[in-house]
Amino acid sequence: MTVAACAAPEPTMEMRIARAAPAVSVQARGETAAVATANVDAADDPAIWRNPADPAASLIVGTDKKAGLHVYGLDGSDRFFFDAGAVNNVDLRADVPIGGAPGILVGASDRNDLANSQLALFRLDPATAQLHPLGKVPSGKGEAYGVCLYRTAQSLHAFMVLKDGTINQVELDLAGAQPAGRIVRTMKLGTQSEGCVVDERTGRLYVAEEDVGLWRFNAAPDGSVQPIRIAAADGYKLVADAEGLALAAQGEKGGYLLVSSQGDNAYAVYRLEDDGYVGRFRIAAGAVGSVEETDGIDLVPGDFGPNYPGGLFVTQDGMNPPKAQNFKLTAWDDIKKALGLN
């Protein structure tokens, strides 16, 4: 008699946490209002604009991947909402020439058409917190998923990460009345991928392949398309899904890369200079709730006012009962202190 083999049960969150490397705890200092889409996985990815003239008046753009884009103040208030439909990830750059005048450019991965990815572009008005649509740029066949911007002295690019692991590099032209773009090269990871970020000092693109691990590429449009693996999703230092990415630049090429270790509600930290592992942390309950099942993250060092004097780390919170999902705000100084970083 043949006995059919039984599939191993999926490990619980408690089991994944118990098997993972130790993680220090920090507490968020603030949170945003909840997204409007309730009872589903809706909030996904944040992008931070730092106001250099008035840091406490900085803004956070966050996606509701079922509905559109929110703009929040650092007090968590929902300042503006743009009905963009299914936009998944978001990134921004300040002082970008848009139609001949400098502005804050916001780019979101638009998957309203699952067969044809697009990059939805907006100008962010810092005075009113409003998003003004500029138009959409085609970014390749397939479902749009992750996105990150890359600016050099000569050009502006977007990396569109499709759900199947294809990465299209799109050169953008914002000089005209409507934005335009062209795919200048394509890279590929083997399975579902999403989070990405570019270190513009070193020209390195980092991409998270959810069930496999963390990779880096040469971001130059004429660079190698071969990925270099930094870390495996080994269930210890990095627990699948590997999701959002963010970096904190220090000096000419130093600083840290942060990765959402979604599978055990933690964040792994690596050195940018040598890809070395630094440690892990979790956001525990405190003045606001704890953070679980994080998708997108963003981090900007620098002064953000009295609550975040050394930098701001923003995380999507996948569990925010009794309300819908939202974004939590943590001081970068608190994370560095907990991990013993300089």
Side-chain angles (χ1 to χ4, degrees):
M1 181 176 66
T2 302
V3 178
C6 295
E10 185 73 18
T12 64
M13 178 63 72
E14 290 75 15
M15 293 169 62
R16 291 194 294 268
I17 291 174
R19 295 170 182 173
V24 299
S25 291
V26 298
Q27 295 178 349
R29 297 190 182 188
E31 63 180 331
T32 69
V35 299
T37 306
N39 302 318
V40 295
D41 181 24
D44 196 272
D45 190 43
I48 302 166
W49 173 70
R50 180 181 173 274
N51 186 333
D54 184 2
S58 300
L59 298 170
I60 301 164
V61 181
T63 61
D64 178 337
K65 61 189 175 186
K66 308 295 184 182
L69 291 161
H70 291 269
V71 182
Y72 302 101
L74 295 193
D75 63 354
S77 61
D78 195 345
R79 299 277 306 278
F80 183 75
F81 174 75
F82 187 89
D83 182 1
V87 288
N88 196 58
N89 277 198
V90 64
D91 199 7
L92 62 78
R93 289 293 183 276
D95 300 319
V96 173
I98 305 173
I104 304 167
L105 178 70
V106 175
S109 55
D110 185 306
R111 57 177 182 177
N112 287 290
D113 178 353
L114 296 181
N116 299 282
S117 74
Q118 297 187 92
L119 176 68
L121 296 171
F122 306 82
R123 181 198 290 267
L124 173 63
D125 183 335
T128 64
Q130 293 187 356
L131 290 166
H132 300 281
L134 300 172
K136 297 181 181 181
V137 174
S139 51
K141 296 289 185 181
E143 182 177 349
Y145 219 45
V147 72
C148 50
L149 299 175
Y150 173 43
R151 178 173 53 185
T152 71
Q154 296 79 29
S155 59
L156 177 68
H157 297 252
F159 291 97
M160 180 63 72
V161 182
L162 305 182
K163 195 170 184 178
D164 69 353
T166 300
I167 306 160
N168 290 328
Q169 183 168 0
V170 183
E171 184 175 19
L172 298 174
D173 182 355
L174 306 180
Q178 293 290 322
R182 64 185 184 95
I183 296 174
V184 294
R185 66 171 180 158
T186 296
M187 296 159 281
K188 187 72 172 72
L189 293 174
T191 61
Q192 183 167 310
S193 306
E194 183 176 3
C196 69
V197 69
V198 180
D199 187 342
E200 293 179 342
R201 304 165 307 162
T202 59
R204 289 179 170 181
L205 165 69
Y206 299 89
V207 183
E209 186 177 3
E210 294 185 1
D211 291 335
V212 177
L214 178 63
W215 303 86
R216 65 174 166 88
F217 293 86
N218 187 330
D222 59 352
S224 170
V225 298
Q226 295 301 313
I228 297 172
R229 190 161 79 172
I230 294 173
D234 58 2
Y236 187 66
K237 295 177 181 176
L238 185 59
V239 182
D241 294 344
E243 288 280 351
L245 302 181
L247 59 85
Q250 291 181 356
E252 292 185 359
K253 58 181 180 178
Y256 303 97
L257 176 68
L258 281 67
V259 187
S260 171
S261 178
Q262 189 188 71
D264 74 324
N265 299 336
Y267 309 89
V269 183
Y270 300 86
R271 285 188 302 272
L272 287 169
E273 284 189 282
D274 60 5
D275 302 330
Y277 171 74
V278 172
R280 291 158 39 86
F281 67 96
R282 291 190 178 91
I283 300 176
V288 298
S290 58
V291 179
E292 291 83 25
E293 298 181 0
T294 294
D295 284 321
I297 61 177
D298 197 15
L299 169 59
V300 175
D303 179 17
F304 280 84
N307 289 330
Y308 311 97
L312 175 63
F313 180 59
V314 179
T315 57
Q316 181 262 4
D317 187 2
M319 299 176 65
N320 186 44
K323 299 178 181 179
Q325 296 177 346
N326 72 345
F327 300 90
K328 297 296 196 289
L329 283 62
T330 305
W332 175 227
D333 284 344
D334 292 346
I335 297 169
K336 290 195 296 181
K337 181 179 180 181
L339 288 171
L341 307 180
N342 295 324

